[in-house]
Amino acid sequence: MKIGIVLYPTFGGSGVVATELGKSLAKKGHKVHFITYSQPVRLGSFRENVSYHEVAVSDYPLFEYQPYETVLASKMVDVVKHEGLDILHVHYAIPHASAAFMAKMILKSQGITIPFVTTLHGTDITLVGRDPSFEPVITFCLNESDAVTAVSQSLKEDTYKHFSTTRHIDVIPNFIKVPGDFETLDRSRRACYASEDEFILCHVSNFRKVKRVEDVLYVFQKVNAVKPSRLLLVGDGPERYKLEELCRELDLCDRVKFLGKVMETQHVLQISDVFLLPSKTESFGLAALEAMAVGVPVISSNTGGIPEVNLHGFSGFLSNVGDVDDMAKNTLEILKDQASLLRFRKQAQDRARGFDIDSVVKQYEEVYTSLLEMV
Ligand code: GMT
């Protein structure tokens, strides 16, 4: 198949899922065309069956806001026509689904039929999408997409709750390639961040309000008071400055390291003992799955789709949003002795195996095939 993938090229979960999906489809022999405004961060170097088409928006002085959606739709038309695409798969509803609809209509007027799949990732429905200024467009796009997928059952239910649509939504979860047994992974860099008797707690996100990274600091403070530990914070975003201030207030600066945007988060995760994800809302929690895949148990909130990934008492623990006392208590339960930590590490990795990339990518291929059979 020739597949066009439209995505946000950044470190965000939707971009990571879209890029890894495209890479995996290309490995299976499909021709994959990424369409977005800059090279996707996880795409890496030159690879077979993969092309990247840049959407370049000119900076006309007339426009206060550049019309990205229009340029994107034009680029989709161009790539579909000249590369002979069979299907478009857009990740994140805004503005990718509406641009895809426009491209589809333009192509139809030229006698070309192209179905498009919209994958909902979370904030496009739970935060941004609920903004009344977007609602009519999103509802329309959900109804007009040839197929809609959501990354968790919880996101599917949220979509029905917030938008007046009854269209069918397939749940296709985030996925991961589990590397070898966690005990064989290289932990030598651990010594750079912690002494042998200290634990390493870790958090990875885009430091937006919804991630509640301040709770990570509060949990860390409580854990560190009982078991000397270090905290590694990966990522960057709007809350970073406030978090640095909070670190100073809590007198934790010498124990907390802000690592910034790290390309290969696996390297940080595999030297960690516990991963913290206290989000206010989270449609799936890809960051937690990435931690579990390298044998790191997860302390998380019990919101959105997280309980579909992190199993309470097995791959980690779940607490109510904001309940930092419970999160700290649960972290200490995991860290209480080596046997407990080892058990949780093994269980976390076992749980991650349920989201194996090969079986999940097959589910997307099935959606494509069923649409192409209808064309
Ligand atoms: O988590 C973010 O803020 C990034 C966001 C995105 O849209 O890129 O991630 C969303 O999509 C991921 C991939 O499907 C999910 O694993 C995340 O849970 C989801 N984030 C939220 O729902 C807050």
Side-chain angles (χ1 to χ4, degrees):
M1 274 180 246
K2 291 184 180 175
I3 306 154
I5 295 188
V6 180
L7 70 159
Y8 282 110
T10 56
F11 283 92
S14 68
V16 170
V17 167
T19 309
E20 296 298 342
L21 169 64
K23 280 157 66 176
S24 176
L25 289 165
K27 238 193 211 163
K28 296 179 91 172
H30 299 290
K31 305 279 180 224
V32 175
H33 295 262
F34 287 105
I35 306 172
T36 182
Y37 56 82
S38 74
Q39 168 100 0
V41 286
R42 283 274 187 111
L43 190 51
S45 52
F46 172 63
R47 47 184 88 231
E48 219 176 312
N49 294 331
V50 171
S51 311
Y52 159 57
H53 305 265
E54 188 153 308
V55 181
V57 186
S58 315
D59 197 5
Y60 292 117
L62 172 68
F63 300 135
E64 191 172 343
Y65 305 103
Q66 305 309 319
Y68 178 69
E69 189 175 344
T70 310
V71 186
L72 174 62
S74 296
K75 181 60 98 180
M76 283 194 235
V77 169
D78 185 74
V79 179
V80 170
K81 271 167 79 172
H82 299 294
E83 299 288 351
L85 298 192
D86 299 307
I87 195 152
L88 282 167
H89 186 174
V90 304
H91 292 259
Y92 210 88
I94 310 161
H96 299 158
S98 39
F101 175 74
M102 197 191 296
K104 180 179 162 145
M105 288 299 112
I106 295 168
L107 288 158
K108 189 177 171 200
S109 73
Q110 299 175 13
I112 299 169
T113 306
I114 182 101
F116 77 96
V117 181
T118 300
T119 289
L120 307 173
H121 281 274
T123 48
D124 44 356
I125 293 300
T126 55
L127 292 179
V128 189
R130 284 172 68 186
D131 184 324
S133 55
F134 289 117
E135 187 279 324
V137 175
I138 297 189
T139 304
F140 178 79
C141 290
L142 290 171
N143 293 332
E144 292 300 324
S145 299
D146 296 283
V148 177
T149 76
V151 298
S152 62
Q153 183 61 30
S154 149
L155 182 60
K156 175 176 172 172
E157 284 160 19
D158 276 344
T159 307
Y160 288 135
K161 214 184 294 162
H162 301 306
F163 296 89
S164 55
T165 182
T166 51
R167 64 125 45 254
H168 175 76
I169 298 175
D170 286 303
V171 174
I172 304 184
N174 289 176
F175 51 82
I176 195 83
K177 182 164 182 49
V178 176
D181 188 318
F182 69 90
E183 287 188 279
T184 65
L185 300 177
D186 178 13
R187 294 195 117 200
S188 55
R189 278 198 211 151
R190 218 185 131 80
C192 307
Y193 297 99
S195 59
E196 270 180 25
D197 54 350
E198 288 173 332
F199 294 101
I200 297 184
L201 276 57
C202 177
H203 170 80
V204 181
S205 79
N206 49 22
F207 291 25
R208 283 193 279 146
K209 259 197 160 47
V210 68
K211 300 292 174 182
R212 295 185 65 100
V213 190
E214 67 281 11
D215 286 358
V216 171
L217 292 177
Y218 291 127
V219 173
F220 175 72
Q221 184 190 35
K222 290 172 194 294
V223 172
N224 181 51
V226 182
K227 298 247 181 209
S229 304
R230 302 279 172 171
L231 175 64
L232 300 180
L233 293 171
V234 178
D236 211 333
E239 294 294 294
R240 163 112 180 226
Y241 181 69
K242 274 197 215 147
L243 294 165
E244 285 174 341
E245 274 190 335
L246 183 59
C247 262
R248 283 174 219 129
E249 243 172 68
L250 300 177
D251 195 19
L252 290 174
C253 293
D254 59 334
R255 307 232 131 227
V256 178
K257 244 203 160 41
F258 287 83
L259 296 176
K261 289 179 180 171
V262 174
M263 197 68 83
E264 298 282 346
T265 49
Q266 187 192 316
H267 295 152
V268 184
L269 292 169
Q270 71 194 34
I271 63 164
S272 305
D273 298 300
V274 170
F275 185 80
L276 302 172
L277 189 69
S279 306
K280 178 165 181 250
T281 148
E282 197 72 61
S283 68
F284 183 91
L286 178 61
L289 179 60
E290 290 183 330
M292 285 155 54
V294 292
V296 181
V298 172
I299 293 295
S300 67
S301 49
N302 55 10
T303 182
I306 301 180
E308 295 172 46
V309 187
N310 185 21
L311 300 185
H312 189 71
F314 186 76
S315 53
F317 287 100
L318 300 153
S319 307
N320 290 333
V321 173
D323 192 345
V324 291
D325 287 331
D326 195 53
M327 291 180 196
K329 183 188 100 222
N330 291 337
T331 308
L332 289 167
E333 173 65 24
I334 294 174
L335 299 179
K336 70 179 178 201
D337 54 40
Q338 278 306 319
S340 161
L341 179 56
L342 199 64
R343 180 164 54 85
F344 275 100
R345 294 191 66 200
K346 185 182 172 321
Q347 290 172 176
Q349 195 176 44
D350 285 347
R351 177 66 186 150
R353 288 200 178 90
F355 298 91
D356 175 61
I357 184 165
D358 295 331
S359 62
V360 176
V361 168
K362 252 188 224 143
Q363 296 177 47
Y364 281 115
E365 283 178 296
E366 280 161 21
V367 172
Y368 303 157
T369 307
S370 70
L371 291 184
L372 293 179
E373 279 167 4
M374 290 192 292
V375 172

